[in-house]
Amino acid sequence: MAKKTYDLLFKLLLIGDSGVGKTCVLFRFSDDAFNTTFISTIGHGEVAQGMLCPEELTFMLISEIILKLGEKSEERRKNIPDRGNSHEKVLGIDFKIKTVELQGKKIKLQIWDTAGQERFHTITTSYYRGAMGIMLVYDITNGKSFENISKWLRNIDEHANEDVERMLLGNKCDMDDKRVVPKGKGEQIAREHGIRFFETSAKANINIEKAFLTLAEDILRKTPVKEPNSENVDISSGGGVTGWKSKCC
């Protein structure tokens, strides 16, 4: 068994509408890379807007299959050594792993990037479970993506742990000439919900690392001093660090 190379494991989640740049934000932080050719996390489902496609007709069945495959995947991972920064993909979900050092502790961040499409809602909500930090992302050039933040906040209330740390990101701030959402609106909704707010740009690398490290520091401040028992990445439920206290019964 590979020697453990971290002190704590934090599970983070990126949520928000499709196209707001969640994947670009993730890759900028994890790999310091930006690719304008990134497609939607579930790009192959975009056959025609407003029309049913095969994925839509069978997504309930797919949801069950994914959770079952996750259980098998977890067993296989027990014998896989730590690879440092890594990337895996299942339907509707990407995740990357990056280890950072905060307050003298090595913290492995397991960062999940969810599909924003509404029709995959029933699949991705299972990944709220065990999340210790959630980033809500909107696009400052897309007013609808900002309006939908209230919906994503409700999803957190319904599906995530009560004590999860939340953060709001107004992405694509390098495109100020196309801005339709004033910075003040983002600041206002963040104040109303008592959460942190950053405007970010994956393309120009603005506030990306600062946002992730700030969220990790907020989690660290209230995390019990207890190390995880294993290296496993939980595909079926996205479980976080052992010892994380949930207020849910």
Side-chain angles (χ1 to χ4, degrees):
M1 181 177 293
K3 183 180 178 181
K4 186 173 60 184
T5 58
Y6 62 94
D7 299 306
L8 295 166
L9 173 64
F10 292 171
K11 175 189 170 183
L12 309 180
L13 195 63
L14 287 164
I15 63 174
D17 284 8
S18 179
V20 298
K22 298 186 299 295
T23 300
C24 291
V25 166
L26 173 59
F27 273 75
R28 172 60 78 182
F29 176 65
S30 63
D31 298 345
D32 194 20
F34 179 80
N35 189 338
T36 57
T37 63
F38 279 141
I39 59 172
S40 170
T41 305
I42 297 294
H44 62 272
E46 297 296 326
V47 177
Q49 278 193 330
M51 298 179 63
L52 290 177
C53 64
E55 286 82 1
E56 289 178 291
L57 296 174
T58 60
F59 77 94
M60 289 298 291
L61 176 60
I62 292 173
S63 176
E64 295 177 5
I65 292 173
I66 276 188
L67 294 179
K68 290 178 180 178
L69 287 176
E71 295 172 0
K72 295 181 179 179
S73 179
E74 179 184 357
E75 290 300 316
R76 290 197 297 271
R77 289 175 188 277
K78 289 180 180 178
N79 297 316
I80 299 177
D82 180 23
R83 294 171 295 177
N85 295 352
S86 62
H87 176 253
E88 297 292 342
K89 184 173 183 179
V90 294
L91 183 62
I93 293 286
D94 284 333
F95 75 82
K96 272 189 165 288
I97 293 174
K98 182 169 182 174
T99 302
V100 299
E101 187 164 337
L102 294 172
Q103 299 178 24
K105 292 187 177 296
K106 287 187 177 180
I107 300 172
K108 179 174 285 189
L109 303 178
Q110 182 191 122
I111 311 163
W112 297 78
D113 170 21
T114 63
Q117 286 85 339
E118 182 64 24
R119 65 175 171 272
F120 289 99
H121 174 82
T122 56
I123 295 177
T124 57
T125 51
S126 64
Y127 291 87
Y128 285 87
R129 294 196 300 269
M132 301 161 73
I134 298 179
M135 288 179 163
L136 300 97
V137 187
Y138 69 90
D139 175 356
I140 70 160
T141 71
N142 183 335
K144 185 64 175 178
S145 71
F146 178 75
E147 293 171 13
N148 285 338
I149 287 297
S150 58
K151 176 198 72 174
W152 292 108
L153 284 165
R154 287 195 298 271
N155 285 348
I156 292 175
D157 290 340
E158 292 172 7
H159 302 289
N161 291 342
E162 208 175 307
D163 52 359
V164 67
E165 285 291 331
R166 300 169 297 167
M167 177 178 284
L168 180 64
L169 301 184
N171 196 37
K172 304 186 185 180
C173 69
D174 60 289
M175 301 173 65
D176 204 55
D177 57 328
K178 297 182 180 179
R179 176 190 292 271
V180 297
V181 183
K183 185 177 181 179
K185 282 194 172 182
E187 292 171 336
Q188 179 182 354
I189 194 170
R191 279 196 305 270
E192 290 173 355
H193 292 272
I195 61 180
R196 292 187 185 271
F197 170 71
F198 290 98
E199 283 203 338
T200 58
S201 168
K203 182 177 182 180
N205 196 13
I206 297 172
N207 283 337
I208 299 296
E209 183 174 45
K210 184 177 181 180
F212 277 98
L213 294 184
T214 299
L215 184 59
E217 286 172 349
D218 289 343
I219 296 170
L220 181 59
R221 272 193 289 271
K222 64 179 186 181
T223 300
V225 183
K226 185 175 181 180
E227 295 182 348
N229 293 326
S230 70
E231 291 267 346
N232 297 338
V233 174
D234 188 346
I235 294 291
S236 60
S237 64
V241 65
T242 304
W244 178 257
K245 294 181 181 177
S246 168
K247 295 180 183 176
C248 180
C249 56

